[in-house]
Amino acid sequence: MQDTYGSGEGVVSTILDRIRATARVELVYGEERRVGEKTIIPVAAIAYAFGGGAGAGVEAARHNGHSEDGGSVGGGGGGGGSVRVQPVGVLEVTEDGTRLVPILDWTRIITTALTGAAAVIIVRAIFRRR
């Protein structure tokens, strides 16, 4: 179904085209840097999320509670998305070889630990009441 705002497939297709235009290897692998005898290459994880849709409808005009020919036509469409870039680590290139040195996300680690501890405390409190 095609309306003034385009089809749902058209909205999603437009979003995908924009994502394809921005999805480049440079987003995952950063510019290499020389540090002493090592070459360092930043590495990131990229996540895309998107959605879109469109709709249209026709409502018959009413006169004294009875339907008549004609009426109003409504339609709409929209979409959106996001890109998340998160550092993963660095590739360390030396004469001896290449290795990935991970970047630890201490905020995530601490948050997960605190959430787990809170869950254990809550479960214990629930079972002690029984």
Side-chain angles (χ1 to χ4, degrees):
M1 172 181 249
Q2 184 73 21
D3 64 10
T4 307
Y5 299 98
S7 69
E9 290 177 6
V11 171
V12 173
S13 178
T14 301
I15 293 170
L16 280 173
D17 289 342
R18 289 184 183 184
I19 288 173
R20 285 187 192 114
T22 62
R24 299 180 321 272
V25 72
E26 292 86 14
L27 293 175
V28 177
Y29 296 101
E31 230 179 274
E32 67 179 46
R33 295 189 173 98
R34 235 17 222 151
V35 179
E37 297 294 314
K38 300 176 185 178
T39 301
I40 306 296
I41 304 168
V43 180
I46 310 294
Y48 290 93
F50 69 94
V58 177
E59 181 180 6
R62 296 193 178 270
H63 181 66
N64 295 331
H66 300 288
S67 294
E68 296 179 4
D69 288 340
S72 61
V73 177
S82 69
V83 178
R84 180 176 182 215
V85 180
Q86 182 174 359
V88 173
V90 293
L91 286 175
E92 182 182 81
V93 183
T94 64
E95 288 182 9
D96 297 331
T98 302
R99 69 183 184 127
L100 177 66
V101 180
I103 295 174
L104 295 177
D105 184 353
W106 286 105
T107 303
R108 176 176 274 173
I109 292 169
I110 292 169
T111 302
T112 303
L114 290 174
T115 303
V120 168
I121 291 169
I122 291 170
V123 169
R124 281 186 177 175
I126 290 171
F127 284 111
R128 283 185 183 167
R129 289 183 185 173
R130 291 182 181 186

